Amino acid sequence: MCGIIGFNGMKPAKDVIIDGLEQLEYRGYDSAGFALLNDGEITVRKRTGKVAELRRMCENDDNPASCGIGHTRWATHGGVTDTNAHPHRCGKVVLIHNGIIENYRQLIAEYALADKLVSETDTEVVAALLDTLYEGDPKDAIRKLVKKLSGAFALCIMFEDIPDTIYSIRNVSPLVAAESEQGSVIASDLTALIEFSKEYFVVPEYHILTLKKNEIIVEDLKGRVVKPEKLTVNWDISSAKKNGYPHFMLKEIYEQPDAIRNTITPRISDGLPDFTDDGIDDAVFENCKRVNVVACGTAMHAGMVGRHIIESELRIPVQVEIASEFRYKDPIIDENTLTIVLSQSGETIDTLEALKLAKSRGSKVISIVNVKGSTIARESDYVLYTHAGPEIAVASTKAYTVQVSAMYLIACRMGLVKKLMSEKDARRFMSMLVNTPNLIEETLSMANDIKRIANHIKLSPDLFYIGRGLDYTMSLEAALKLKEISYVHAEAYAAGELKHGTIALITENVPVIAIATQEDVYSKVISNIREVKARGAYVVLVSMDEEVNDATICDKHIRIPKTDSRFSAFATAVILQLIAYYTSDAKGLDVDKPRNLAKSVTVE
Ligand code: AGP
């Protein structure tokens, strides 16, 4: 939920840190700040608002310090205020934090810290406690500190009397680090690290890092030096830039064809799905009698599409679970339950904890993750990495469609292994999956049509998406996309269910976007559309019809390319993403960084 960066190098740190914070801003943008350590003097600059405002505030600062830490905040404890912004300083200690300290109130009482505190944050309590424990040996104080903390944390710390040194330690919350020619760097994720080095390592939990200017020392809590595995970034810095697009979200919508090709192509051999290079053992499919899909938000919606395909093609029962619910429902799991976890960031705490619960009950776990080496990936039995490249916009688009494509690969592989799908059907299935990037490219060509719809709906207080079967699943994702970036209150409804109450909300000009791509229920959806049209709704129909000129059905028709209705989700997704994008843009909103949100929800 927050962005963290630390730099200890051979050049002034201020601008390096602010530049890094700009790369990390999608992780949280309520406030931003940094601390610099120079000749025994700590300077802290922080404020509410975006990183650009912090940069303007400090543009005339000429602090030569080449060692510093920076933070972008998504508020958890305490409001969005300058005082609550990070870094937090207490005595000789200054630090930044991503996570939630669950026992911070007990620590205030246990160590009588109240008089030391000026903010409302759990983070300042950590700084005050560390300052209390500090008697001149930083690592000793940090060891004592982490024994007292309960919860998730990624900390970067500097001590006033320890020159040119940054310390760091984490539990659950993500951190990656790299040694480079410019110096030592540590950050919440690769978007701020790639500027310095393509080689990095994931910071091991409960290990103390000491970042000097030309090396990073990693020690376990017993003081033993360890050498973490070095990883290589599999994308370049331009992937984390807009490259001429007005927003990251639009760029990522247009990247979907290549993102899907990059994800599925390495898993196809001789026209059939092949997970050999992913190390996913066929046995995990052979033993599977039922599937639990666990995720949050858009990732969960991708899992729902997967359920539709697995159940309809293989007749294997699939339960899709909201991760935050799954964790506390005492789920029914056994060794024949396969758990599929989906997460773009690989750091969503609810999904991570749900994964651990499933494993503890004997289920094998396959995770579909977009960030290499992320926590969820490392905790899983098997990982199917998607290759969408970094997804910067808070609203997930290309990560969604590649997750869906990964679910289709799993469905087909499972069908072959369990002999529930003939090789002939599997080849036909895979040829249609291979064609989905082309469907998306054809759909993208009608983007201008979507702009006109967006202008019509942007002032609507309420809007309904309706559909049946796979199209109802798509409606759920459509409603989330529209809500999270345009702030229009959208609701997804099973088209056949409207009559049972909600149709009371359909009055003159209320927008209803109806998705009707499923042939077996097409006529039923058209009947449902007539019901809302008869009550004055403004209806947009999304279907494969060449054209629809019947005013009793819709005011506007959006045609998606004709395809087997099992594969309509890919084109439909693009339409729904563009509706949300253009509506948000027409309202002049911050499409990439919508209010109250952050890209990765690493707190419960
Ligand atoms: C996507 O548009 C949302 N920003 C959000 O629902 C997201 O999908 C969810 O938080 C899960 O994130 P993850 O895929 O990184 O686990």
Side-chain angles (χ1 to χ4, degrees):
M1 298 296 272
C2 298
I4 276 184
I5 183 167
F7 174 76
N8 190 8
M10 279 48 108
K11 61 183 181 179
K14 183 192 80 168
D15 289 337
V16 171
I17 286 169
I18 294 176
D19 292 346
L21 290 179
E22 276 185 345
Q23 293 299 321
L24 293 166
E25 195 164 29
Y26 73 111
R27 300 178 61 89
Y29 31 87
D30 295 334
S31 57
F34 61 83
L36 300 174
L37 174 61
N38 187 40
D39 275 347
E41 183 183 353
I42 290 177
T43 306
V44 176
R45 305 280 273 156
K46 62 183 186 177
R47 55 160 297 158
T48 56
K50 299 280 173 61
V51 172
E53 292 162 272
L54 175 70
R55 187 190 290 276
R56 268 194 296 280
M57 179 174 89
C58 306
E59 61 188 354
N60 297 320
D61 290 14
D62 58 0
N63 191 322
S66 56
C67 181
I69 53 179
H71 183 275
T72 57
R73 183 175 182 236
W74 187 86
T76 53
H77 291 80
V80 179
T81 65
D82 293 349
T83 306
N84 289 340
H86 299 207
H88 286 281
R89 177 165 187 193
C90 193
K92 293 183 175 176
V93 169
V94 66
L95 58 76
I96 52 180
H97 167 227
N98 176 25
I100 283 189
I101 305 302
E102 294 170 356
N103 64 331
Y104 79 103
R105 292 186 193 285
Q106 295 92 308
L107 293 172
I108 293 173
E110 185 179 344
Y111 288 89
L113 301 172
D115 294 345
K116 289 188 163 191
L117 307 176
V118 295
S119 80
E120 306 160 303
T121 66
D122 55 343
T123 303
E124 191 189 15
V125 173
V126 177
L129 176 54
L130 183 55
D131 184 59
T132 302
L133 297 170
Y134 180 51
E135 296 171 334
D137 179 340
K139 287 185 277 190
D140 180 57
I142 292 169
R143 276 191 287 272
K144 288 174 183 164
L145 171 76
V146 296
K147 288 192 178 92
K148 291 291 179 184
L149 300 183
S150 163
F153 53 84
L155 296 168
C156 282
I157 306 159
M158 296 191 297
F159 295 83
E160 183 182 71
D161 55 350
I162 309 289
D164 289 334
T165 307
I166 298 170
Y167 296 90
S168 183
I169 191 164
R170 67 176 280 256
N171 174 43
V172 179
S173 298
L175 276 175
V176 289
E179 295 169 339
S180 77
E181 287 168 12
Q182 298 178 65
S184 300
V185 194
I186 188 165
S188 299
D189 66 42
L190 291 171
T191 53
L193 215 66
I194 192 171
E195 192 79 38
F196 299 92
S197 167
K198 284 210 157 210
E199 191 176 73
Y200 69 102
F201 65 88
V202 175
V203 174
E205 290 182 313
Y206 286 105
H207 283 64
I208 298 175
L209 267 65
T210 304
L211 284 82
K212 309 298 284 182
K213 290 195 180 302
N214 54 6
E215 64 170 342
I216 299 176
I217 301 156
V218 183
E219 297 167 280
D220 66 17
L221 294 183
K222 293 189 181 334
R224 291 172 301 210
V225 174
V226 300
K227 293 284 182 196
E229 179 196 1
K230 290 289 174 66
L231 302 170
T232 306
V233 183
N234 57 359
W235 40 268
D236 59 40
I237 185 68
S238 67
S239 302
K241 304 282 186 193
K242 290 181 191 169
N243 295 352
Y245 282 90
H247 299 101
F248 278 111
M249 183 177 175
L250 191 61
K251 169 173 173 266
E252 289 153 9
I253 288 172
Y254 275 80
E255 286 177 334
Q256 291 181 107
D258 286 343
I260 292 173
R261 291 187 183 103
N262 295 340
T263 297
I264 63 177
T265 307
R267 281 96 181 207
I268 300 175
S269 50
D270 184 25
L272 294 173
D274 180 347
F275 293 142
T276 306
D277 292 348
D278 302 290
I280 300 177
D281 190 334
D282 278 348
V284 77
F285 300 123
E286 278 159 355
N287 304 330
C288 164
K289 291 191 170 58
R290 52 195 289 274
V291 177
N292 276 345
V293 172
V294 186
C296 300
T298 288
M300 181 184 67
H301 295 151
M304 287 177 166
V305 177
R307 171 187 60 191
H308 190 83
I309 291 302
I310 292 172
E311 288 194 339
S312 59
E313 295 295 313
L314 311 183
R315 312 308 296 157
I316 289 177
V318 179
Q319 182 89 9
V320 179
E321 301 275 4
I322 297 172
S324 55
E325 291 292 303
F326 180 80
R327 293 179 59 192
Y328 302 104
K329 65 177 278 190
D330 190 13
I332 301 162
I333 295 173
D334 61 26
E335 66 281 358
N336 296 120
T337 305
L338 171 63
T339 301
I340 300 177
V341 164
L342 296 96
S343 177
Q344 189 284 130
S345 64
E347 301 297 346
T348 301
I349 189 82
D350 283 322
T351 308
L352 172 63
E353 296 304 320
L355 180 164
K356 291 177 181 176
L357 174 62
K359 280 184 75 174
S360 69
R361 303 258 178 117
S363 174
K364 288 294 181 198
V365 175
I366 298 177
S367 64
I368 299 174
V369 176
N370 196 44
V371 176
K372 191 176 170 189
S374 55
T375 307
I376 285 173
R378 286 183 285 111
E379 292 286 336
S380 302
D381 295 303
Y382 306 97
V383 188
L384 190 48
Y385 279 116
T386 51
H387 302 314
E391 186 176 70
I392 307 300
V394 166
S396 188
T397 51
K398 63 178 180 176
Y400 170 78
T401 43
V402 297
Q403 286 164 353
V404 170
S405 70
M407 289 299 289
Y408 277 58
L409 284 171
I410 288 174
C412 191
R413 185 71 206 164
M414 188 185 287
L416 281 170
V417 168
K418 297 175 77 67
K419 299 189 179 10
L420 297 170
M421 188 186 273
S422 69
E423 186 172 309
K424 177 173 175 285
D425 287 346
R427 288 187 186 284
R428 177 167 150 66
F429 185 94
M430 290 303 294
S431 68
M432 288 187 281
L433 182 60
V434 166
N435 185 50
T436 55
N438 305 328
L439 294 177
I440 290 178
E441 281 165 348
E442 188 180 339
T443 306
L444 286 169
S445 66
M446 53 184 81
N448 282 330
D449 258 357
I450 309 294
K451 279 185 189 174
R452 282 190 281 278
I453 292 167
N455 279 319
H456 188 97
I457 66 176
K458 67 183 180 182
L459 300 178
S460 311
D462 295 300
L463 179 145
F464 292 88
Y465 278 101
I466 65 172
R468 288 179 182 240
L470 183 57
D471 290 336
Y472 170 51
T473 299
M474 300 309 294
S475 299
L476 292 165
E477 172 56 12
L480 174 61
K481 278 282 99 46
L482 189 64
K483 281 183 285 189
E484 68 176 322
I485 65 171
S486 75
Y487 315 150
V488 171
H489 182 250
E491 189 172 352
Y493 232 83
E497 182 65 7
L498 267 173
K499 302 184 288 298
H500 302 280
T502 301
I503 200 165
L505 297 179
I506 304 297
T507 57
E508 193 61 28
N509 221 18
V510 167
V512 174
I513 300 179
I515 308 168
T517 70
Q518 302 302 294
E519 287 161 25
D520 57 336
V521 289
Y522 176 85
S523 60
K524 298 293 183 191
V525 176
I526 295 300
S527 301
N528 300 142
I529 291 172
R530 290 187 194 280
E531 290 156 7
V532 297
K533 197 80 191 79
R535 287 158 178 83
Y538 172 83
V539 176
V540 177
L541 172 62
V542 178
S543 75
M544 292 190 239
D545 300 291
E546 274 308 310
E547 60 179 344
V548 177
N549 292 319
D550 181 342
T552 66
I553 293 179
C554 64
D555 299 275
K556 173 75 182 164
H557 174 237
I558 299 174
R559 183 187 69 79
I560 62 168
K562 201 130 186 75
T563 182
D564 180 306
S565 55
R566 293 174 296 172
F567 292 82
S568 64
F570 295 90
T572 306
V574 171
I575 297 292
L576 306 169
Q577 291 162 358
L578 289 172
I579 288 174
Y581 172 78
Y582 284 120
T583 303
S584 177
D585 193 38
K587 294 179 75 173
L589 299 172
D590 187 339
V591 174
D592 288 332
K593 296 195 281 286
R595 68 186 179 206
N596 303 345
L597 293 179
K599 184 60 181 175
S600 178
V601 183
T602 55
V603 293
E604 295 186 41

